[in-house]
Every structure is written in C-alpha cells, then in structure tokens.
C-alpha cells in the first residue's frame, strides 16, 4: 500500500508548523514525517462520519490556530487538533449560507485570518466563523463588478493586502470592504492584456510585480504601470520556458529567483 499507484498522484503538499508534510493525493490524505520517514494515511470510510468526506484530496491548509482545512472533490473538512474531531461541510441547494459547491479547489487564509475557499463551480466562498456560514461570491451576468467566473483556481494576497483570485475567465482583484471585483481579461494583444484568461497561480517578486501562471506561459504585471511582460516557451531559445502550462510559482528571496512549475515540463528557475 505504501507504493500503491492509487496515491502516487499528488495534487498539493503542505508543511505544517511541526515540520510534518501533508500530501493531498487522488486516493487519500498522507501525513509524512520527514524525520522518521513514516507515513499515516487517512481515507473516506463509507458510513463513518468521522472519516474524510472523500478520498480525492485537492488541498490542505493549516490555519493560524493550528487546525486544518481539507478540501476534497466532494466536501470541505475541518479538523480540530485539540478535540481530534473532524467536521464536514457540504453544499445544500436549499441553504444559501452553505458552501457554494462540494468540489474544493483551493483554500486560503488572509492576514486577517479570514478563510477563503475556491470551488469548481460554486464561486469564491468566505467562511464566517462567528455565524458558522459561508458568504458566496458568484458570477452574476447583470452585475459587472461580480466575480468573473465561478470556477476558482487560485487565491493570493499581496504584500499590500490586496486579494487576487484566479479563475477560468481572468484575474479578479477583490475590494474586501465593498465586495467588488476588478477584472483583468485578455481583451487585446497589446502589453496591457493577459495572454490567457485561465489563471492557475500567483506570486509576487521583491519589486512587488505580480507573476501570473497560465496555460500560455507567465504574465508579469508591473504594478506601477499595469503593463505585462510575458515568459513563454520558444523551441529556438534554450533559455526560454521548458513549457507554457505553468501551474505553480514560488519566489525564494534567499536565492533571488522564481521557481516555475510546469504541467508535464518540469521546473524552471528564473
């Protein structure tokens, strides 16, 4: 079972505050201790409400309290480390205060300790702990300042506190005080436009520029001018990206470089 291919498809990795790695796989959640090299696996057990809601684990977040949010392909799970109890959250079509969709793609905690959840088709959700309800931010055709699409791929907070949301249809910058969304789309071919509207990920460099990963390469926005620079794969240039489909970006200030993870193309360092 340790080498089972059912759990060799890893979708996300989290290092918790104790140095333990949590691996989100397509067949269960894996807790791995790098010191002992031992792992513990957690699965959905049909009929057992204390088990995970589904075996396809999409994302894990440890919030500031030390507790864990676990997003799956069917339900959101909250694990309380003090009581060692697991709680499930599901979409209820009769309850507008339930989570917008059961397929969870991304979970994020901002600097104010608010929990944001991106779903497959239910938009962006914010969990209100005081009222134990979810506030949904969904696309509305007749409201131009609503979120641009209900399929959420990424959530990122920059150094100034702006919250950025990547969707199937462009970038959204949230005004957290007025619940409005500023949209950035591909509307032309000049350098004030994205080169793709599918947004996989965000990162910020030491100059405050916003790096955006898409299926068509990396879009780097100069926050002062609003203009973009593009990094794309060019078979004629050995120093270009290995591939265009960039799914994750990480800035390491100690090396002053960006790590760009591609889908099927490996890792680039820039």
């Amino acid at each position: 079972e340790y080498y089972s291919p059912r759990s060799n498809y890893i979708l996300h990795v989290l290092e918790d505050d104790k140095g333990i790695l949590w691996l989100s796989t397509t067949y269960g959640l894996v807790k791995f201790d790098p010191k002992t090299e031992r792992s513990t696996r957690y699965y959905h057990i049909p009929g057992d409400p204390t088990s995970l809601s589904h075996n396809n684990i999409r994302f894990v977040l440890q919030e500031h309290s030390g507790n864990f949010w676990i997003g799956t392909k069917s339900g959101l799970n909250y694990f309380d480390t003090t009581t060692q109890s697991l709680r499930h959250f599901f979409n209820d079509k009769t309850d507008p205060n339930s989570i917008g969709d059961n397929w969870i793609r991304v979970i994020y905690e901002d600097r104010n300790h608010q929990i944001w959840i991106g779903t497959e088709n239910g938009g962006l959700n914010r969990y209100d702990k005081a009222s134990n309800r979810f506030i949904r931010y969904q696309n509305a055709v007749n409201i131009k300042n609503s979120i641009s699409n209900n399929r959420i791929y990424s959530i990122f907070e920059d150094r100034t506190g702006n919250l950025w949301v990547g969707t199937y249809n462009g970038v959204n910058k949230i005004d957290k005080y007025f619940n409005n969304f500023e949209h950035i789309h591909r509307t032309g071919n000049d350098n004030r436009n994205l080169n793709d509207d599918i947004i996989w990920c965000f990162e910020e460099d030491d100059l405050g520029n916003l790096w955006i990963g898409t299926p068509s390469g990396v879009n780097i926005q100069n926050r002062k001018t609003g203009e973009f620079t593009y990094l794309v794969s060019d078979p004629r240039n050995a120093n270009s990206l290995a591939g265009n489909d960039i799914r994750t970006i990480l800035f390491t200030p100690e090396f002053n470089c960006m790590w760009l993870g591609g889908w099927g193309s490996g890792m680039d360092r820039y």
Side-chain angles (χ1 to χ4, degrees), residues 153-154 166-167 170-171 194-203 210-221 228 231 241 244-249 260-261:
Y153 290 130
S154 52
T167 76
V171 171
L194 295 166
N195 72 351
D196 200 305
D197 274 334
I198 296 176
I199 310 300
W200 295 130
C201 59
F202 298 98
E203 182 58 290
L210 189 67
W211 292 55
I212 304 168
T214 79
S216 301
V218 179
N219 295 235
I220 307 170
Q221 186 189 47
F228 287 96
L231 301 180
L241 292 179
N244 281 327
D245 199 350
I246 303 301
R247 298 296 182 99
T248 184
I249 306 175
L260 312 172

Side-chain angles (χ1 to χ4, degrees), residues 101-206:
D101 189 26
N102 285 329
W103 184 335
I104 311 301
R105 281 197 168 270
V106 61
I107 311 168
Y108 193 88
E109 182 178 26
D110 69 21
R111 63 184 61 189
N112 296 318
H113 304 313
Q114 295 190 97
I115 301 297
W116 300 82
I117 302 104
T119 69
E120 173 70 4
N121 287 304
L124 180 68
N125 296 249
R126 178 171 59 84
Y127 179 63
D128 187 327
K129 189 173 184 179
S131 62
N132 189 36
R133 66 189 183 101
F134 293 90
I135 294 88
R136 302 178 188 177
Y137 303 89
Q138 297 178 326
N139 176 256
V141 176
N142 58 339
I143 302 177
K144 70 174 184 178
N145 291 326
S146 68
I147 198 165
S148 63
N149 192 269
N150 286 330
R151 183 171 296 175
I152 311 298
Y153 290 130
S154 52
I155 306 170
F156 177 76
E157 186 177 31
D158 66 26
R159 66 182 66 179
T160 62
N162 293 313
L163 203 65
W164 301 83
V165 180
T167 76
Y168 187 74
N169 184 28
V171 171
N172 294 254
K173 178 183 174 184
I174 302 179
D175 184 329
K176 289 188 283 188
Y177 299 100
F178 296 99
N179 296 332
N180 289 332
F181 293 82
E182 176 187 329
H183 304 153
I184 304 175
H185 290 289
R186 181 180 182 181
T187 56
N189 294 316
D190 60 34
N191 67 352
R192 301 192 71 85
N193 283 275
L194 295 166
N195 72 351
D196 200 305
D197 274 334
I198 296 176
I199 310 300
W200 295 130
C201 59
F202 298 98
E203 182 58 290
E204 187 176 30
D205 64 23
D206 56 339

